[in-house]
Amino acid sequence: MQTLLENMRSVVEELNCEIAGGPIFPRVTPQEIRSHLARYDFTEPVALDAICADVNQMMHTWHVQVTHPRYFGLFNPSVTFASVVADTLVAMYNPQLATWRTSPAANEIERHTLAWLASKFGFPQNASTSFTTGGAEANLTAVIVALTKAFPEYGEPGLRHLDGTPTLYVTAEANHSFNKIVHMTGLGRRALRVVATDSNLRMDVADLARQVAADRKDGFLPFMVSGTAGTTAAGAIDPLPDLARYSESEGLWFHVDAAWGGAAILSPRLRDYLAGIECADSITCDAHKWFSVPMGAGMFFCRHPEAVSAAFHAETPYMPAETRGSLPDQYTTTAQWSRRFIGLKLFLSLAERGESGYVEMIEHQASMGDMLRECLQRTGWRVVNQTPLPVVWFSRDGLDAPQLVAALQERQIAWMSAVELGGTSALRACITSFRTTARDIECVVREMNRLL
């Protein structure tokens, strides 16, 4: 095993160096890749070494290098070496986590890891926790469990037997998975209410209260509020304490989508910005974002295990009997049936680096975000969003953001997004890599100013 780890580390470090010194953005057309793949008609075997070399070259050439230190795009992080090892081990053993009996060690490793993080969020020891394929599945789980808690009778006859249409409340800044979720659950897209935001893109609690009251008057059935701790676009953190108090007073399920920002709970510098998350009924958090492990590794936390069990209970004669003293089998507490050992990549990373190592990684990226703001403002840019998280929207007079983004990509300087806020053309940069350095920040700002 030691030799294997040494060889893997050498390969991964070499690849990281190549990526850091190479292009970020590929220039390729769909037809070019399809023409290349035409050689694989699967009629004759091909040597594995040759196939792997070819695929490696394709990934190296025809892929946005999201682990590049100047990739400032969406939340696709550089990944820890330990998490790469973890995914390799999982593939080798291929455990099935649907039941405890089939994968005792894997189930307990996930339980141990999730329980530790649940305690950081202020959740009780008996909280129901699970790894998911990503934040969308975790948010879907939250909606299903919230419906089950609010309307215990709906599970058998379905939503059509309720006295009205259940409604849930988000802002326009919330993750768009909720638009899919209301469709998939049968609530319908019209059941999703969009609450106004303040000047900092945070949910307006007064408008929430107004909409809930109006819906109840009109015969709708409000059941859930979802606040966001780190919105995708601008890093906004909704007023979680106010939302928690309001939701409790109105008997509404309070969910916090902390897919990105949830990792800040480890940071002494940042955790106060998540105050109120401990009052949530459920939380979404993605390990494949700010915990820097490979896709996909979402997490779901819920303080109502009985509602989770009611939502996903199942009985089958062909599955092993539940083991005395073990966790409830995961096929009876989650939307999944066949379950990959998702949690090992987070367990290995946490165990290798320790909490202090993770604090250092998270706070380094936050510091790089602060440095980016300072460099921009010092050279005449305006920062147009407010967040303690390392996502920065910035603009200046006469800026054509799409044109500048295209120039940055063409010259392989950085990967960013063009956005618009209140009619203002702006750029969005998010520090997603623990390998991003002060030199990277200075280089990007210098090159942007030169291009202008």
Side-chain angles (χ1 to χ4, degrees), residues 5 8-9 11-12 15-16 67 78-91 292-294 340 344-346 348-349 352 435:
L5 286 176
M8 284 184 65
R9 190 182 296 275
V11 169
V12 170
L15 178 60
N16 287 332
T67 63
S78 295
V79 295
T80 65
F81 174 67
S83 65
V84 176
V85 173
D87 264 359
T88 304
L89 285 170
V90 169
S292 298
V293 305
R340 179 177 171 83
L344 185 60
K345 61 187 84 175
L346 182 57
L348 244 59
S349 292
E352 183 202 29
R435 297 190 179 97

Side-chain angles (χ1 to χ4, degrees), residues 230-310:
T231 59
T232 300
I237 300 173
D238 285 330
L240 305 182
D242 294 341
L243 292 176
R245 283 190 291 269
Y246 173 77
S247 298
E248 183 178 18
S249 69
E250 293 294 322
L252 302 173
W253 184 281
F254 177 42
H255 177 65
V256 177
D257 183 353
W260 173 42
I265 202 69
L266 301 185
S267 165
R269 171 185 167 186
L270 298 171
R271 67 169 63 107
D272 286 350
Y273 292 103
L274 300 187
I277 199 169
E278 71 281 359
C279 300
D281 293 291
S282 57
I283 299 171
T284 287
C285 183
D286 282 349
H288 64 238
K289 290 191 170 73
W290 221 359
F291 282 98
S292 298
V293 305
M295 301 284 179
M299 296 176 283
F300 176 70
F301 303 86
C302 181
R303 64 172 61 252
H304 306 288
E306 73 289 345
V308 174
S309 296

